[in-house]
Amino acid sequence: MTKTASNTTAPTQLLEVNGLRYAYRRFGNGSGRPLLFLQHFTGTLDNWDPAVTDPLASGREVILLDNAGIGRSTGEVPETMAEMANHVFAFLDGLRLPTCDVLGFSLGGVIAQQMAQDRPSIFRRMILVGTAPRGGEDIMRLEKPSLAKHIQDPTNRGYDVLKKIFFTSSPTSQAAGQAFIGRLLQRKDDREPPSGPNVGSAQLAAFREWERFTGDRFADLKGIRHPTLVVQGFKDEMIPVRNSYWLAENLPNAVLLAYPDAGHGSLFQYADSFTKHAADFLSSESDSVVF
Amino acid sequence: MTKTASNTTAPTQLLEVNGLRYAYRRFGNGSGRPLLFLQHFTGTLDNWDPAVTDPLASGREVILLDNAGIGRSTGEVPETMAEMANHVFAFLDGLRLPTCDVLGFSLGGVIAQQMAQDRPSIFRRMILVGTAPRGGEDIMRLEKPSLAKHIQDPTNRGYDVLKKIFFTSSPTSQAAGQAFIGRLLQRKDDREPPSGPNVGSAQLAAFREWERFTGDRFADLKGIRHPTLVVQGFKDEMIPVRNSYWLAENLPNAVLLAYPDAGHGSLFQYADSFTKHAADFLSSESDSVVF
């Protein structure tokens, strides 16, 4: 635990496990259970908005992780969610953390679901933002025109593309996107190397595998009993909101919170509201998700 | 305003307007704008759960209304939502209340939408629970087997049927339904006469008319700019949750909150959670729904 409870200043640490090195940050304090952050497609530790991490770090430790092959974490980026989940297990076992809460965003929300199925005791409560169940649809189809026009636009350099694909085209949402990028850039030193194209291609392969299902669609979700807060923007082009409907309807113990005029980055656009509801949810000791 | 801030004890009042008499209750106090409650299919003032009305009455006045032909309100029960909305306008004009907040449940949520379209200034913020937009589907189809088996069961006398059709079959939800009925029965005196069969048939005709639409489906909702909190149970058999998805997706300024293992009566099943979120939402002075 560091003394500096912000993702703008928390030092990046390295943990050696099984011959691999995982890059992570751990900061904050309070009586709450540690909260693990699992990151979106191609994102690194530097993609976590301090407006989301820092308020949550005021009531508990937060732990941000780069999965294998991301940022300064070594190893290969896996092409399945199950292998990515195994890396997170190895990391948490290396930290000697038998259980925690989790905030999984997008790709990270899929990994969280996989982990909850593979080892239920690893999580107490889950927050799944902008994500999809196995068998979901239209997940990260970057080639579709509504996304490709932004991703392929050469004027969208660096974080600028996030303003286009994580936020809606409304002036309000675009302004929130600009503010989000400004917050990501507040961290000046000890930054992670950005992901290269190999990261995206492996993670996309994992998403394609995640869209496939056998047997009763969404039946796997019935076995995930964890209290789960599902959060989504109604205008998400990257993982459309119907995926969160399926997720929350089929998880036996989930509440759905959906935001207007928000895309994939709803948690960043409405960081004050999101962190307030998330903290209320996490502070409950009930077996029920309802808070 | 009465001194007794509970629907268990608040006296029923009568307001004469245009030769009609409207039965209502008005109680509570605080700095919040008055909150109008619009009731569900065949329900009277006595169907408002004190676990919902009373916590909200601790921060504002609440006003419960029997529409025309319900309880001790005179007049005919209209067969369209627009006419029901006109009765509420007449009542509020009679009270000299130019604007208020509204909690519309089921049928009441439909009337609230109609009012917001007909006279936008009448409401500041809206809470729409277990309801549907114009053009919604499977709205109050009491003849379908999942509902008819309970409604036609002669052992479900009085409020007992509500335990079956407002709650899920899980032990937890049924226990919440039993507690709900117990709370409705706490009021001993000055109760409203229950609705006869003519009430239901007229209100069902209005629902059938509400399912019809012309032009672009749900396009009317774009014009309702009010901050709107949409609340629904995932297992609602009376008005399925996809109606709330359509409502919240197409309203430009809506947040959706959906509850697990809950049917039509989600607000009663989770009264503590619902009233906490509702009060947070109502206490905001922002133009945005996000709270």
Side-chain angles (χ1 to χ4, degrees):
Chain A
M1 192 175 77
T2 73
K3 291 180 181 173
T4 311
S6 171
N7 194 35
T8 301
T9 51
T12 307
Q13 304 182 62
L14 300 169
L15 181 73
E16 297 267 350
V17 185
N18 303 333
L20 290 179
R21 205 173 59 221
Y22 295 102
Y24 71 104
R25 297 182 192 142
R26 183 173 185 171
F27 55 94
N29 59 74
S31 59
R33 200 165 296 227
L35 178 64
L36 175 70
F37 282 59
L38 297 177
Q39 187 60 292
H40 66 78
F41 176 73
T42 72
T44 72
L45 302 176
D46 297 332
N47 288 89
W48 281 118
D49 185 348
V52 167
T53 56
D54 299 1
L56 291 169
S58 75
R60 65 198 54 73
E61 279 189 288
V62 301
I63 301 171
L64 321 184
L65 172 65
D66 275 341
N67 209 307
I70 313 289
R72 275 173 278 184
S73 289
T74 59
E76 296 292 314
V77 181
E79 297 195 350
T80 68
M81 300 301 177
E83 290 169 280
M84 295 185 209
N86 283 338
H87 281 292
V88 185
F89 285 129
F91 167 75
L92 293 175
D93 291 344
L95 282 185
R96 302 186 192 287
L97 201 65
T99 189
C100 61
D101 292 332
V102 67
L103 191 171
F105 173 39
S106 189
L107 176 77
V110 171
I111 297 169
Q113 292 171 65
Q114 182 73 55
M115 292 174 67
Q117 290 180 312
D118 293 348
R119 195 198 291 180
S121 63
I122 196 68
F123 298 135
R124 185 193 60 135
R125 302 197 139 220
M126 303 201 294
I127 303 173
L128 302 179
V129 186
T131 192
R134 177 174 284 283
E137 281 177 4
D138 193 11
I139 301 174
M140 300 292 287
R141 295 284 175 177
L142 305 184
E143 70 282 9
K144 68 182 179 183
S146 60
L147 294 173
K149 69 179 175 185
H150 299 304
I151 294 167
Q152 295 168 6
D153 179 347
T155 68
N156 285 329
R157 298 177 63 167
Y159 284 155
D160 287 350
V161 72
L162 296 181
K163 190 168 72 169
K164 299 297 184 185
I165 63 178
F166 276 17
F167 296 82
T168 78
S169 60
S170 80
T172 308
S173 190
Q174 284 296 297
Q178 191 62 46
F180 162 70
I181 291 171
R183 293 191 298 267
L184 294 188
L185 293 172
Q186 284 170 2
R187 186 181 180 97
K188 301 296 182 194
D189 304 311
D190 184 32
R191 294 181 65 94
E192 290 292 274
S195 296
N198 66 308
V199 174
S201 60
Q203 292 180 337
L204 284 177
F207 273 124
R208 294 292 81 77
E209 194 278 333
W210 188 251
E211 285 180 331
R212 291 198 287 274
F213 66 98
T214 54
D216 282 353
R217 196 180 188 191
F218 311 130
D220 289 352
L221 297 175
K222 304 289 183 202
I224 302 181
R225 308 287 314 175
H226 305 71
T228 304
L229 175 61
V230 177
V231 178
Q232 179 71 296
F234 283 122
K235 309 288 186 192
D236 193 331
E237 286 285 332
M238 306 196 78
I239 300 185
V241 65
R242 65 182 181 279
N243 289 285
S244 279
Y245 298 158
W246 288 322
L247 193 52
E249 285 177 7
N250 289 285
L251 286 169
N253 199 11
V255 157
L256 173 65
L257 178 67
Y259 284 117
D261 187 30
H264 204 50
S266 66
L267 74 173
F268 308 133
Q269 179 165 342
Y270 299 118
D272 287 351
S273 170
F274 172 74
T275 55
K276 185 189 73 166
H277 291 297
D280 282 355
F281 165 72
L282 293 173
S283 68
S284 169
E285 295 292 335
S286 169
D287 290 336
S288 165
V289 62
V290 174
F291 66 101
Chain B
M1 194 174 76
T2 73
K3 291 181 182 173
T4 311
S6 172
N7 194 35
T8 301
T9 51
T12 306
Q13 304 182 63
L14 300 171
L15 181 73
E16 297 265 352
V17 185
N18 303 335
L20 290 178
R21 206 173 58 221
Y22 295 102
Y24 71 104
R25 295 181 193 144
R26 185 172 184 171
F27 55 95
N29 58 75
S31 59
R33 201 165 294 227
L35 178 64
L36 175 69
F37 281 59
L38 296 177
Q39 186 60 290
H40 66 77
F41 177 73
T42 72
T44 72
L45 302 175
D46 296 332
N47 287 89
W48 281 118
D49 185 349
V52 167
T53 56
D54 298 1
L56 291 169
S58 76
R60 65 197 56 71
E61 279 189 287
V62 301
I63 302 171
L64 321 183
L65 172 66
D66 275 342
N67 208 308
I70 313 289
R72 275 173 278 184
S73 290
T74 60
E76 296 292 312
V77 180
E79 296 194 350
T80 68
M81 300 300 179
E83 291 170 280
M84 294 186 211
N86 283 337
H87 281 293
V88 186
F89 284 129
F91 167 74
L92 293 175
D93 292 343
L95 281 186
R96 303 186 191 287
L97 201 65
T99 190
C100 61
D101 292 333
V102 66
L103 191 171
F105 172 40
S106 189
L107 176 77
V110 172
I111 297 169
Q113 293 171 65
Q114 181 73 54
M115 292 174 68
Q117 290 180 310
D118 293 347
R119 194 198 291 180
S121 63
I122 195 69
F123 297 136
R124 185 194 61 136
R125 302 197 139 221
M126 302 200 297
I127 303 173
L128 302 179
V129 186
T131 191
R134 177 172 284 283
E137 280 177 4
D138 193 11
I139 301 174
M140 301 291 287
R141 296 282 175 178
L142 304 184
E143 70 282 9
K144 68 182 180 183
S146 60
L147 294 174
K149 69 179 175 187
H150 299 303
I151 294 168
Q152 294 167 5
D153 180 347
T155 68
N156 285 328
R157 299 177 62 168
Y159 285 154
D160 286 350
V161 71
L162 295 180
K163 189 168 73 170
K164 298 298 182 184
I165 62 178
F166 277 16
F167 296 82
T168 79
S169 60
S170 80
T172 308
S173 190
Q174 284 295 297
Q178 191 63 48
F180 162 70
I181 292 171
R183 293 191 298 268
L184 293 187
L185 293 172
Q186 284 171 1
R187 185 182 180 97
K188 302 297 181 192
D189 303 311
D190 184 33
R191 292 181 66 94
E192 292 292 273
S195 296
N198 65 308
V199 174
S201 59
Q203 291 180 337
L204 283 176
F207 274 125
R208 294 292 81 76
E209 194 278 333
W210 188 250
E211 286 181 330
R212 291 198 286 274
F213 65 98
T214 54
D216 282 352
R217 196 180 188 191
F218 310 129
D220 289 352
L221 296 175
K222 303 290 183 202
I224 301 181
R225 310 286 315 173
H226 306 70
T228 304
L229 175 61
V230 177
V231 178
Q232 180 70 296
F234 283 124
K235 308 289 187 192
D236 193 332
E237 286 285 334
M238 307 196 77
I239 300 185
V241 66
R242 65 182 181 280
N243 290 286
S244 280
Y245 298 159
W246 288 322
L247 194 52
E249 285 178 6
N250 288 284
L251 286 169
N253 199 11
V255 157
L256 174 65
L257 177 67
Y259 284 116
D261 187 31
H264 203 50
S266 66
L267 74 174
F268 309 132
Q269 179 165 341
Y270 299 119
D272 288 352
S273 170
F274 171 75
T275 55
K276 185 188 73 168
H277 291 297
D280 282 355
F281 164 72
L282 292 173
S283 69
S284 168
E285 295 293 334
S286 170
D287 289 336
S288 166
V289 63
V290 174
F291 66 101

